[in-house]
Amino acid sequence: GLRNINLTIGAPGQNILSSLPSLFLSASSHRLTSNLGSLFQYGPEVGIKQYRVELAKFLTRRYQDTVLEDELVLTCGATNGLHLAISSLVRQGGTVFVEDPTYFIALSLLSGDMGLRVVPIRMGRRGWTLSTLRRWWPRKLQEMLVPTLVMTDYGA
């Protein structure tokens, strides 16, 4: 029969999560008995260099354009990456224009956690329509005393 699948959590299902304790126990036991010298050291803030080198090679091949490892920053997921980028670019109280609909976690992160004003812009069949953006842009720019960001993943 039919069953409901909750897509709003963004996490693995219970069947996968319940198998993890034994896997974590085995991996932790192995790690705690070898190479203890670097076990509790912090990693590089932008990510492990060798991983970024390999990722840059992969992305260079994939996009047929040069990607350098020094241009890459590794995060622990989309939400962490979004928070890092937004907190670097927009001060608290700033405004972020987002496509509507947008990444569901972004709305609570931007407005709730980060205290930003979120302005959703309705998407057309090919992305933002200039007429819709023009309606908001001049009026909002006059109100803003802090940086503004336009966030979109159209075509990603």
Side-chain angles (χ1 to χ4, degrees):
L2 295 176
R3 63 184 184 137
N4 292 329
I5 298 175
N6 184 349
L7 298 177
T8 62
I9 296 173
Q14 187 60 36
N15 59 334
I16 293 174
L17 293 175
S18 64
S19 69
L20 294 179
S22 62
L23 179 64
F24 274 75
L25 182 61
S26 174
S28 297
S29 177
H30 173 74
R31 184 63 180 104
L32 288 169
T33 58
S34 61
N35 195 12
L36 296 176
S38 62
L39 179 60
F40 296 107
Q41 294 297 318
Y42 288 116
E45 289 184 14
V46 295
I48 297 169
K49 178 145 180 103
Q50 187 55 37
Y51 182 83
R52 290 183 297 118
V53 166
E54 293 304 317
L55 182 59
K57 289 177 188 176
F58 169 80
L59 294 173
T60 296
R61 285 190 311 270
R62 173 74 167 86
Y63 295 114
Q64 298 177 355
D65 197 6
T66 302
V67 176
L68 303 174
E69 70 271 6
D70 292 336
E71 297 171 339
L72 299 173
V73 175
L74 303 180
T75 66
C76 57
T79 304
N80 177 244
L82 178 60
H83 187 279
L84 176 64
I86 299 294
S87 62
S88 298
L89 298 171
V90 182
R91 289 191 303 251
Q92 189 164 4
T95 300
V96 180
F97 291 89
V98 300
E99 55 192 24
D100 182 21
T102 193
Y103 175 47
F104 71 97
I105 293 176
L107 297 175
S108 61
L109 173 74
L110 296 170
S111 63
D113 298 345
M114 301 186 78
L116 301 171
R117 185 178 352 171
V118 176
V119 179
I121 303 293
R122 181 53 86 184
M123 298 289 288
R125 285 180 25 206
R126 293 186 169 182
W128 286 358
T129 61
L130 289 179
S131 61
T132 304
L133 194 54
R134 281 188 191 116
R135 255 188 314 217
W136 284 99
W137 197 261
R139 186 173 34 169
K140 292 296 179 191
L141 281 181
Q142 291 171 3
E143 297 173 13
M144 292 178 229
L145 301 175
V146 292
T148 300
L149 180 75
V150 175
M151 182 183 96
T152 180
D153 70 351
Y154 184 73

